[in-house]
Amino acid sequence: MKKSAIIGALAASTLLAGAASAATLDDVKARGELNCGVNVGLTGFGMADANGTWVGFDVDLCRAVAAAVLGDPTKVKFVPTTGETRFTALASGEIDLLVRNSTATFTRDVDLKFDFVGINYYDGQGFMVKKELGVSSAKELDGATVCIQTGTTTELNLADFFKANNMTYTPVTVQDDSEAQRQYLAGACDAYTTDASGLAAGRATMADADNHIILPEIISKEPLGPLVRHGDNVWGDIVRWTFNTLLIAEEKGITKANIEEVAASSTDPEVRRLLGLEGDMGKMFGLDNEWAKRAIAANGNYGEIFETNLGTGTPIGLARGLNALWTQGGLQYAWPMR
Amino acid sequence: MAFATSRAEASKGGFRLSMLIYDTRFRAITLQVVALILFLLFIGWLTDNVIRNLDAKGKDINFGFLWVRAGYDIEQTLIPYTNDSSHGRAVIIGLLNTLVVAFFGCILATVIGVIVGVLRLSNNWLISRLMTIYVEIFRNVPLLLWILLTFVVISETMPAPAAFKITPAILESRAALEGIEAQAGGNGFWSRITGLQTLSLPFFLWLLALIGISASAWQYARSRLDAGKAALIAAIPAVLWIVAALTVFSPSLSPVLADSEASAIGPTEPAASKFFFDSIALTNRGTNVPAPLLDRPLGGTEIVSVPVNYSVLAVIAVIIVSVLANRSVIRRANKLQETTGTRPTTWWISLLILFLPLILLLVALGLHWEVPAFPVNDEGVSQGFNFRGGIQVMHSFTALLIALSLYTSAFIAEIVRAGIQAISRGQSEAAAALGLRPGRTMKLVILPQALRVIIPPLISQYLNLTKNTSLGIAVSYLDLRGTLGGITLNQTGRELECMLLMMLIYLTISLIISSGMNAFNSAVKLKER
Amino acid sequence: MTDTSHLWVREEMLRPEPPPLREAGLVKWVRENLVSSPVNTLLTVAGLLVAVWGIWTAFPWWWHSVWNASSLGECREIVAAAGGESGACWAVIKARWHQFLFGFYPPEHYWRPILTGGLLFAALAPVLFWNDRKSAHMVGFAGIATLAALYAVSANSLAFAATAVIFAVIWVAASLRPASLIWVTGLFPFISIWLIWGGSFWNPVNQLLAIALGALVARVYYNNTSKWLNDAFALVIALAAAYVASVVIGYSDAISTDFFGKLREASFWQGFGQQSDNVFSMVFGALASVLVMALTAAIWLLLAITYVFSAVLNYNLADLAGLIWGETPPEWAGSAWAGMISLGALLAFALVFVAARNRSVVIGILAGLLAGGGWLLYQAPKMVTYMATDLPLTIAPVSSNMIGGFLLALIIGVTAIAASLPLGIMLALGRRSDMWLMKVLSVGFIEFIRGVPLITLLFTASLLLQYFLPPQTNFDLILRVIILAALFSAAYLAEVIRGGLAALPRGQYEAGDSLGLTYWQAQRLIIMPQALKISIPGIVSTFIGLFKDTTLVSFVGLLDPLRGVTTTVRADINWKGIYWEPYIFVGAIFFIICFGMSRYSMYLERKLKTDHR
């Protein structure tokens, strides 16, 4: 009671940007804006273009959540986070949601007290080397100098891999992706290791892409996904189901372009539940029934988001691979909307 | 307004509550008590917040992670470390990395700073302008930019280690070349001269240096001798310079063999070569230097997980003893000079005392150098990715060291300049009147006095440099911030513990440096009576 | 003179011979300035070597500069087509210059930061020149520069006209009476925050109203002559003080009760002294354990003292008993009423009442603060809503994460230095104070801040502040960074100002004492004006240092011009792999700003020197 007087006086300062309470959903609604933590700049996943508009695979998930919760995909405040600041930003409530190619691991889930609510990109750590080295397997990298990005799980995986294969290496820890690529291209390291998607993206944008090869070994599993704070299950559910919605939409062939048409004509019960034509799904976690429709309409379904930002039509040119729907041999398997 | 009451008045009136505020004797106490209460409440508030925040997050304050396996590798370590070592050891590695870059940085910055500061006052127009440009450019651009730029420059301009490798292609061309040489009947000195690329930058620079060396030598000799002899004397350094060019720098001045027949063959030497008698290799990853190895080492032990090498201790002990012995020799010479007026010749005794014991010790220990090289297979083809053997100094270290030294030296130069200018002209005029040469005036008259003005700001520059080593993060130099405040923090998620420990360590370093330097300052400062 | 035996007398002077060749013109200059001694010759050649090498290596790159291209690849093609090996690709600057300057600030609102920048100069003018005509010149230049900048970013005509009018008004005022510009200085903080972050115009108006109210209350209190009015004032203020004291004491009481419970659970020393096979690491562990336990004990002691303080002030012996025997304190001890009648509150009431009846300046200021703060907390939000419905003078709000580039660097630098000035003065005075505690606290703060790198403070802002503030408080990262940067520069400014204070002759202090001035009067009227004047060059160089150090904020994820914006630009596929050009561009701007300021500070130094000697 007495404490509240002081805290009240402190909180009333005009520059306070609002407090994060246990109910993130209420905060977001009250604020009218979703605070989403993204990468400072990673091609294809999260970066700002010349106009300062954020684009990317992770960014579009933020927009979908904003569309579902607030009804407007533009009502997102993108907070660029570094490898070091990202988890603190989420834990302290500075951001509501972190979508920054973060690998789901035991310690992050249990010890750091976060919930990974889905895996939007299945990745694995690989190596890229110059062709002229004549290396065809990661097992031949004994004694090599390897560039790694610091603040990620990759440095631990790398140490484990070389240890398991009884090889030595010299690590060159680098701050960000573009710097790592510069060093690699300048020959400051023999191999560059990061998530295979990042390697492919980097290679695709190199001037001499044919002179570089990605080694066949994938030395780790990197399930990348959005994460929220422990303990706020409603908010976690919203993000989880927004993501699932995008997957279901792809399964059912609902796209940004045809969503109105499908909504008007579809007789598929699951589609009708998804688009809020049947049942009261949205109300169950405090949203209206159109939430999923808006999430899909924001940037299209999962497949569309992938193709726009990373797919073969872009300079990055990633194949779907593991991230294809389970029906097409991938791992993306949405939970049923029921 | 009630003013301070006098003592008599106060004792007359007895104590009133208002005296707590208006009596200067009590007011100080009142204010301090109020301040103390507020301060304690503030601390209490902070601690309470920390505890409740930790509680809310389900965390605790626990330094146990320092004993847990770190699991990551560090590219440059002064003491043994593997990814099986603990986080605590990684912290020590980081701390040592911080200290080593700060130590060498301070020395380098001082040397450059003093030179630039003195040269800025030079009456040589070109030099003083260049030094001004140097100082202004380095002072007015953020250090972070210098660190990034230095790193980019170093890693972009140096050759990759692969360029040092002997490839099968090179061996083939060598075999082919031998055939040609056998026909042509040798190929040596003349091809080096005829093959000089006179339009290349190295040649031009070399020529300029030649002109400078001979002009300067002639000028020096001319002031003492007549023209003919002077020309002869001046020719000596010029000839030496030419010989040096043809032997030492020759690869960079002229690509050997420009004749058509040989150019049809591929390169017979690797694209890059080690220098300084084939012992130091500069690659875009680091500087590979020979490592000292001992045949008969004295062994060592480990104190608080920091290894101690008895051989190194022995070398240090011998050096200290030699220096002390040398000082006593000089002191005796000084005494003799003061009593008899003649100074005995001591330079050879000094040399002997300083170096002979050390050399003997090193010979006894069996010192030899392990030169970095690529392992070679039976055919003579280089194997592997990197140099083996020797010591590799990573470029993150070099870049950080260079950038920090250059940046700080610009400030030190200004301090030195201001210190020198603070000495009144009368001092240098008096020295000139006594017949001292400018160099000795600077050394014996100006600098000792300027030092008094220079040292206090110099201390804060050293402190700044030490703190600025934390920017090594920009080039991924794994110093204290990189290990404890970077990877360890990240992998363990213990921000509070890591940050507090890191601040404590930096604070300790700073306080040690500043108290040490302050003690030095009070030792050298002008004793005023 | 007439009797002369000379056969021939020269009637006119000989024409002076031209000086020998080596003593005139270029040759003399070269002889004296370049080759005066062997060492100098050597140095000259060495200098030439460096210059030739620099130009030779960099020239082709500059020569092949490309200004028009849409990607790095295109740049390279153009350079290759022109026959160059390498060339600068300035096209990236042309494409992204606005991000280097403004970050993601919406382009249609560029006029707002530009206008703020222009007003900054108008606000600085009275600080630099006081009642001098130069103020008007400065305002004029600032106005013209602002309009030119607005034209450069093609701002809309309304902004253009408004800026022109604003500067015209300020210029006229400055020409008539330069000192009147101090109003611009006073208004600037409120206007600038409103301009940059946007929102309702009624926000700054209400903040100003709160200040006016506070000033009014303080003035009425201090100037009133009626005795009963004064007593009433004293009573109200003393009651308020008692309330605040009781809340604070009660709160600290709660802190401490919580704390002892928590401390038992917290595991400060877990992990230290763990068993190990190595005797040295065991010793080290034991030492570290002792150290940490000592630290813990120190904190515990501090908290225990707080606890005793608050218990005594609360006049709550049961709490003391609880401390000694570990029993839980009775329920009533923590109630608000007990707090109100507690000894501490009574003491605060009595002290403030006595002081207020004697019209102490401090109490007047406190009263003013209370009134102003009350207005801001309780009335202003309502007023803003009320006024905004009738007359919505609102400009689009811009959130902090849109701010970046040099705009961010300037915001952090200028705000931090301005905010740190009062704190720095207090710290400098505290360090020279006769009061032991003040001195210890000031020295401790200054040495702590100066002993740790700025980057750790920035990480504190981004990682640790959340632990030190009440749970669930959370504010803007930029604001947090500004606070820490302000604390950082306050410690440095304190040292600069301390130097200024030390430079004043002792007679100045004694003169103040002999005139019977109080400490604060002497400081305000005699000491500070002189000490600050001497310190201005030092303050400027502190600002330069801080401004350069703002580049470090990229490590906590803010968009500084050097690493933040550059990373963003390089994440774009078109500009992947571009290094030199952004760095050179950013470095050049930093150089221009810092060099200009350092030259200005040197000029000031010279000017101030002639004043004194």
Side-chain angles (χ1 to χ4, degrees):
Chain A
M1 168 189 59
K2 280 178 285 175
K3 279 181 198 182
S4 59
I6 295 209
I7 296 170
L10 275 171
S13 161
T14 48
L15 284 162
L16 293 187
S21 66
T24 315
L25 176 60
D26 297 339
D27 287 344
V28 174
K29 278 183 172 167
R31 207 188 299 131
E33 198 172 46
L34 173 75
N35 291 340
C36 195
V38 290
N39 205 311
V40 178
L42 180 61
T43 317
F45 284 89
M47 61 161 199
D49 67 9
N51 306 319
T53 316
W54 285 86
V55 291
F57 184 70
D58 288 343
V59 166
D60 281 349
L61 183 57
C62 294
R63 291 199 195 280
V65 173
V69 176
L70 300 168
D72 184 351
T74 60
K75 293 230 166 104
V76 194
K77 178 176 160 185
F78 291 101
V79 180
T81 53
T82 69
E84 275 139 5
T85 61
R86 54 181 165 175
F87 295 127
T88 311
L90 181 60
S92 67
E94 194 181 332
I95 52 180
D96 307 310
L97 167 68
L98 178 67
V99 201
R100 189 199 178 275
N101 333 58
S102 302
T103 308
T105 66
F106 179 84
T107 45
R108 286 175 181 176
D109 194 11
V110 178
D111 191 30
L112 297 185
K113 310 242 179 322
F114 297 122
D115 279 342
F116 284 86
V117 290
I119 302 302
N120 67 341
Y121 196 95
Y122 288 96
D123 214 332
Q125 186 178 344
F127 295 93
M128 175 160 61
V129 293
K130 287 182 182 156
K131 218 174 224 169
E132 66 194 32
L133 275 184
V135 172
S136 59
S137 156
K139 301 255 168 72
E140 295 167 25
L141 285 176
D142 192 12
T145 304
V146 185
C147 281
I148 27 171
Q149 274 188 64
T150 183
T152 60
T153 49
T154 48
E155 53 206 353
L156 301 185
N157 298 333
L158 185 71
D160 287 352
F161 173 75
F162 275 85
K163 195 178 162 67
N165 288 295
N166 207 9
M167 303 191 295
T168 59
Y169 71 107
T170 312
V172 175
T173 45
V174 184
Q175 280 289 309
D176 54 57
D177 184 59
S178 61
E179 174 64 14
Q181 285 192 31
R182 182 191 71 75
Q183 295 220 17
Y184 166 74
L185 285 176
C189 40
D190 298 304
Y192 173 33
T193 179
T194 187
D195 295 341
S197 64
L199 291 179
R203 181 173 174 274
T205 55
M206 281 172 191
D208 55 342
D210 293 340
N211 294 336
H212 305 272
I213 52 170
I214 294 172
L215 298 178
E217 282 87 352
I218 295 294
I219 65 169
S220 73
K221 290 180 287 187
E222 303 286 339
L224 311 178
L227 60 163
V228 297
R229 281 181 294 277
H230 236 7
D232 187 354
N233 294 340
V234 174
W235 179 245
D237 288 344
I238 290 174
V239 180
R240 173 181 298 118
W241 283 100
T242 307
F243 173 63
N244 275 322
T245 297
L246 301 179
L247 286 179
I248 298 170
E250 192 187 0
E251 281 177 22
K252 299 286 179 190
I254 310 172
T255 63
K256 192 177 176 180
N258 71 5
I259 185 160
E260 291 301 334
E261 192 187 321
V262 172
S265 63
S266 178
T267 53
D268 183 339
E270 186 168 8
V271 171
R272 290 184 65 80
R273 278 197 297 277
L274 185 72
L275 298 183
L277 303 171
E278 249 173 48
D280 262 345
M281 298 295 203
K283 297 264 166 57
M284 292 179 194
F285 49 29
L287 300 179
D288 59 11
N289 282 333
E290 299 258 290
W291 65 279
K293 193 174 162 188
R294 287 195 306 268
I296 301 165
N299 289 294
N301 61 37
Y302 180 82
E304 285 179 275
I305 293 176
F306 193 100
E307 285 307 323
T308 333
N309 294 301
L310 306 169
T312 40
T314 64
I316 298 168
L318 288 181
R320 284 291 287 270
L322 288 178
N323 296 294
L325 291 179
W326 62 286
T327 48
Q328 290 148 25
L331 292 175
Q332 292 294 2
Y333 184 99
W335 302 358
M337 179 64 75
R338 181 171 296 281
Chain B
M1 275 283 135
F3 292 119
T5 46
S6 74
R7 194 169 289 265
E9 215 178 315
S11 60
K12 218 189 305 163
F15 181 78
R16 279 170 288 118
L17 200 56
S18 60
M19 280 162 61
L20 280 180
I21 296 171
Y22 291 110
D23 188 324
T24 41
R25 290 168 303 166
F26 295 115
R27 181 162 55 186
I29 298 173
T30 318
L31 282 178
Q32 295 193 55
V33 167
V34 171
L36 182 66
I37 293 175
L38 288 180
F39 175 68
L40 287 178
L41 289 180
F42 181 66
I43 296 286
W45 182 68
L46 289 185
T47 321
D48 178 57
N49 283 337
V50 169
I51 286 169
R52 286 193 297 139
N53 276 315
L54 286 173
D55 209 32
K57 295 193 168 96
K59 289 184 170 180
D60 56 356
I61 294 182
N62 187 340
F63 284 92
F65 70 92
L66 288 176
W67 275 260
V68 173
R69 177 177 180 263
Y72 61 92
D73 283 288
I74 299 176
E75 58 212 42
Q76 185 167 332
T77 59
L78 286 182
I79 59 173
Y81 170 91
T82 65
N83 55 42
D84 284 333
S85 308
S86 64
H87 279 296
R89 189 158 179 110
V91 172
I92 295 176
I93 300 280
L95 175 62
L96 289 175
N97 280 348
T98 294
L99 290 179
V100 77
V101 88
F103 177 75
F104 287 110
C106 284
I107 294 177
L108 204 58
T110 314
V111 171
I112 302 175
V114 170
I115 293 175
V116 172
V118 171
L119 286 184
R120 223 190 140 177
L121 293 173
S122 150
N123 51 10
N124 185 320
W125 180 87
L126 181 69
I127 289 296
S128 69
R129 287 304 175 288
L130 277 180
M131 293 304 140
T132 309
I133 292 175
Y134 172 88
V135 168
E136 292 300 348
I137 284 191
F138 275 94
R139 271 202 321 177
N140 289 314
V141 173
L143 172 61
L144 189 60
L145 182 65
W146 290 123
I147 295 179
L148 290 170
L149 271 187
T150 318
F151 191 63
V152 174
V153 168
I154 293 184
S155 60
E156 295 279 340
T157 53
M158 306 283 177
F164 292 82
K165 287 170 85 169
I166 296 172
T167 58
I170 288 179
L171 289 180
E172 276 171 28
S173 355
R174 276 186 187 172
L177 182 68
E178 263 168 33
I180 296 173
E181 275 182 359
Q183 292 163 15
N187 198 329
F189 192 73
W190 275 114
S191 71
R192 294 195 165 193
I193 293 175
T194 49
L196 273 183
Q197 279 200 330
T198 44
L199 255 177
S200 68
L201 175 64
F203 179 76
F204 189 73
L205 293 183
W206 175 83
L207 199 64
L208 206 55
L210 176 68
I211 295 169
I213 288 172
S214 19
S216 161
W218 190 77
Q219 206 177 353
Y220 179 77
R222 188 69 185 82
S223 63
R224 283 162 175 74
L225 307 163
D226 61 70
K229 278 185 190 159
L232 266 181
I233 301 282
I236 295 173
V239 169
L240 279 179
W241 183 241
I242 293 170
V243 171
L246 289 175
T247 54
V248 182
F249 317 128
S250 112
S252 60
L253 287 180
S254 66
V256 184
L257 285 180
D259 52 284
S260 56
E261 229 174 328
S263 63
I265 309 170
T268 57
E269 291 294 328
S273 58
K274 293 186 276 186
F275 60 94
F276 200 74
F277 304 112
D278 217 21
S279 64
I280 297 175
L282 280 175
T283 71
N284 56 6
R285 295 172 193 181
T287 313
N288 294 71
V289 294
L293 286 187
L294 299 176
D295 284 335
R296 298 171 285 277
L298 295 176
T301 182
E302 211 170 71
I303 296 176
V304 199
S305 67
V306 177
V308 175
N309 191 327
Y310 292 145
S311 316
V312 175
L313 283 186
V315 169
I316 292 173
V318 165
I319 291 176
I320 290 176
V321 169
S322 305
V323 168
L324 288 180
N326 183 40
R327 273 171 71 172
S328 85
V329 166
I330 289 175
R331 208 176 305 131
R332 193 164 300 155
N334 284 346
K335 215 183 220 169
L336 206 65
Q337 188 179 17
E338 271 169 31
T339 48
T340 64
T342 51
R343 191 183 176 86
T345 321
T346 57
W347 62 267
W348 61 272
I349 303 180
S350 286
L351 274 186
L352 222 58
I353 289 179
L354 280 178
F355 292 105
L356 192 63
L358 186 64
I359 292 170
L360 285 180
L361 176 72
L362 291 178
V363 169
L365 290 173
L367 175 82
H368 61 271
W369 298 91
E370 185 195 27
V371 177
F374 274 99
V376 179
N377 70 0
D378 296 339
E379 287 109 48
V381 177
S382 306
Q383 303 289 306
F385 298 99
N386 282 316
F387 283 97
R388 290 286 165 87
I391 300 170
Q392 185 177 30
V393 184
M394 300 297 289
H395 274 332
S396 52
F397 170 81
T398 319
L400 184 63
L401 179 70
I402 292 177
L404 274 177
S405 319
L406 293 182
Y407 181 77
T408 314
S409 70
F411 290 87
I412 292 181
E414 282 301 275
I415 292 169
V416 170
R417 183 178 69 105
I420 292 173
Q421 283 179 334
I423 308 303
S424 73
R425 275 199 76 74
Q427 295 286 332
S428 47
E429 283 162 4
L434 286 174
L436 289 180
R437 271 180 273 121
R440 305 205 84 189
T441 309
M442 187 57 99
K443 190 178 149 211
L444 296 173
V445 179
I446 309 284
L447 277 184
Q449 298 186 67
L451 221 51
R452 191 166 53 96
V453 190
I454 289 172
I455 285 180
L458 199 60
I459 298 173
S460 72
Q461 285 309 323
Y462 286 163
L463 279 178
N464 282 348
L465 188 144
T466 309
K467 288 188 287 169
N468 282 337
T469 54
S470 58
L471 294 190
I473 181 182
V475 288
S476 307
Y477 179 64
L478 287 181
D479 63 345
L480 189 61
R481 223 230 50 99
T483 56
L484 176 61
I487 303 181
T488 292
L489 184 152
N490 233 311
Q491 305 293 6
T492 60
R494 298 204 165 266
E495 307 113 349
L496 194 64
E497 294 91 332
C498 288
M499 291 301 296
L500 289 182
L501 193 59
M502 188 163 79
M503 283 192 179
L504 190 71
I505 295 176
Y506 272 118
L507 198 59
T508 316
I509 299 175
S510 296
L511 291 181
I512 289 173
I513 292 178
S514 68
S515 56
M517 292 300 289
N518 280 328
F520 176 65
N521 185 30
S522 53
V524 299
K525 88 171 170 207
L526 205 63
K527 305 285 188 297
E528 286 174 346
R529 279 177 285 263
Chain C
M1 279 302 187
T2 48
D3 179 35
T4 170
S5 57
H6 293 309
L7 295 176
W8 180 78
V9 175
R10 180 184 284 282
E11 304 243 307
E12 56 189 20
M13 291 298 287
L14 252 181
R15 286 174 61 84
E17 283 283 316
L21 186 61
R22 46 189 294 171
E23 288 299 334
L26 188 66
V27 179
K28 173 176 151 70
W29 184 86
V30 166
R31 270 173 53 84
E32 279 182 357
N33 290 306
L34 295 180
V35 290
S36 61
S37 71
V39 177
N40 256 341
T41 312
L42 214 53
L43 283 177
T44 305
V45 172
L48 274 178
L49 275 181
V50 171
V52 166
W53 174 78
I55 294 170
W56 193 303
T57 28
F59 180 74
W61 189 76
W62 288 96
W63 183 245
H64 292 290
S65 292
V66 176
W67 283 95
N68 294 307
S70 61
S71 72
L72 184 59
E74 205 183 318
C75 265
R76 287 182 178 147
E77 278 167 22
I78 295 174
V79 171
E85 264 185 25
S86 66
C89 184
W90 300 111
V92 66
I93 307 296
K94 204 173 170 187
R96 296 293 188 105
W97 64 270
H98 55 283
Q99 283 185 356
F100 284 103
L101 297 187
F102 298 102
F104 300 144
Y105 209 88
E108 65 272 22
H109 294 300
Y110 280 167
W111 63 272
R112 283 155 53 177
I114 290 174
L115 177 57
T116 314
L119 286 176
L120 175 64
F121 283 97
L124 276 178
V127 179
L128 299 176
F129 304 112
W130 191 229
N131 209 355
D132 193 326
R133 293 281 157 198
K134 280 182 189 161
S135 305
H137 301 327
M138 187 159 169
V139 171
F141 283 129
I144 292 165
T146 310
L147 289 176
L150 285 182
Y151 180 75
V153 300
S154 45
N156 63 36
S157 46
L158 188 65
F160 211 78
T163 308
V165 169
I166 290 172
F167 272 98
V169 168
I170 298 177
W171 185 76
V172 168
S175 312
L176 295 177
R177 199 168 144 265
S180 64
L181 276 182
I182 199 75
W183 287 100
V184 179
T185 314
L187 291 176
F188 178 74
F190 306 98
I191 299 297
S192 61
I193 287 174
W194 175 67
L195 272 177
I196 288 178
W197 275 275
S200 172
F201 179 66
W202 301 112
N203 278 324
V205 167
N206 265 289
Q207 289 151 8
L208 287 169
L209 274 179
I211 287 179
L213 183 70
L216 186 72
V217 169
R219 217 181 164 80
V220 167
Y221 159 74
Y222 200 63
N223 287 346
N224 82 79
T225 46
S226 130
K227 188 160 165 31
W228 70 267
L229 184 64
N230 193 35
D231 282 356
F233 246 119
L235 195 66
V236 169
I237 295 167
L239 273 177
Y243 176 72
V244 171
S246 71
V247 169
V248 170
I249 292 164
Y251 179 66
S252 73
D253 210 23
I255 289 177
S256 320
T257 346
D258 263 13
F259 181 74
F260 287 108
K262 292 285 153 50
L263 195 60
R264 282 189 209 109
E265 297 160 23
S267 47
F268 264 101
W269 46 76
Q270 253 183 32
F272 277 99
Q274 268 183 351
Q275 289 306 309
S276 160
D277 46 351
N278 187 327
V279 65
F280 286 111
S281 72
M282 275 169 73
V283 170
F284 178 67
L287 282 177
S289 176
V290 167
L291 182 73
V292 172
M293 274 167 74
L295 275 177
T296 319
I299 296 177
W300 188 87
L301 197 66
L302 218 53
L303 264 288
I305 296 173
T306 319
Y307 188 53
V308 174
F309 257 124
S310 66
V312 170
L313 291 175
N314 242 346
Y315 209 57
N316 187 350
L317 290 174
D319 269 18
L320 272 179
L323 173 67
I324 295 163
W325 290 294
E327 289 165 16
T328 43
E331 195 62 34
W332 58 270
S335 77
W337 184 239
M340 279 296 279
I341 58 164
S342 66
L343 183 62
L346 277 179
L347 203 65
F349 178 84
L351 278 176
V352 171
F353 188 69
V354 172
R357 284 193 66 182
N358 285 292
R359 287 192 211 161
S360 158
V361 181
V362 180
I363 301 297
I365 293 171
L366 279 181
L369 280 179
L370 222 55
W375 176 274
L376 264 190
L377 286 184
Y378 299 111
Q379 208 49 46
K382 288 178 205 160
M383 289 293 287
V384 170
T385 336
Y386 178 71
M387 290 192 278
T389 43
D390 283 347
L391 185 60
L393 283 177
T394 305
I395 50 176
V398 176
S399 72
S400 295
N401 62 324
M402 312 286 270
I403 296 171
F406 279 96
L407 176 61
L408 177 74
L410 280 173
I411 287 178
I412 294 177
V414 172
T415 324
I417 209 86
S420 66
L421 204 54
L423 188 58
I425 293 176
M426 297 311 290
L427 284 171
L429 291 179
R431 199 167 181 168
R432 290 173 62 87
S433 164
D434 295 331
M435 284 184 264
W436 177 82
L437 186 73
M438 305 294 178
K439 196 168 178 166
V440 166
L441 289 182
S442 307
V443 171
F445 179 82
I446 293 172
E447 291 305 323
F448 172 73
I449 297 283
R450 283 163 52 95
V452 298
L454 176 60
I455 198 165
T456 62
L457 293 178
L458 292 177
F459 271 93
T460 305
S462 98
L463 300 179
L464 287 201
L465 222 51
Q466 46 146 343
Y467 286 103
F468 292 120
L469 295 176
Q472 288 153 21
T473 31
N474 192 0
F475 47 97
D476 225 350
L477 181 58
I478 291 188
L479 184 63
R480 282 182 275 159
V481 163
I482 287 177
I483 291 174
L484 266 293
L487 292 181
F488 179 77
S489 65
Y492 283 81
L493 273 190
E495 291 297 274
V496 169
I497 294 169
R498 186 166 72 109
L501 288 174
L504 283 191
R506 184 104 211 106
Q508 296 292 331
Y509 293 88
E510 285 160 0
D513 286 347
S514 67
L515 284 174
L517 297 181
T518 65
Y519 179 76
W520 290 109
Q521 282 172 329
Q523 292 297 342
R524 188 165 57 88
L525 299 170
I526 298 180
I527 309 297
M528 272 304 148
Q530 300 184 65
L532 285 182
K533 199 171 163 190
I534 303 175
S535 315
I536 285 182
I539 295 174
V540 174
S541 58
T542 309
F543 176 71
I544 296 176
L546 184 69
F547 182 61
K548 284 187 292 176
D549 280 346
T550 54
T551 49
L552 305 192
V553 299
S554 61
F555 291 117
V556 293
L558 288 181
L559 277 173
D560 85 300
L562 186 53
R563 268 183 89 244
V565 175
T566 312
T567 310
T568 312
V569 169
R570 285 205 299 249
D572 188 337
I573 280 183
N574 291 330
W575 303 115
K576 219 178 181 89
I578 196 152
Y579 292 90
W580 299 96
E581 294 83 354
Y583 287 155
I584 291 175
F585 176 68
V586 172
I589 295 186
F590 266 112
F591 180 80
I592 292 168
I593 298 178
C594 296
F595 183 71
M597 280 194 297
S598 76
R599 285 288 131 151
Y600 176 71
S601 115
M602 281 180 192
Y603 155 78
L604 266 186
E605 209 169 345
R606 276 199 304 277
K607 200 177 112 184
L608 294 178
K609 240 183 202 159
T610 51
D611 283 357
H612 284 283
R613 291 171 199 170

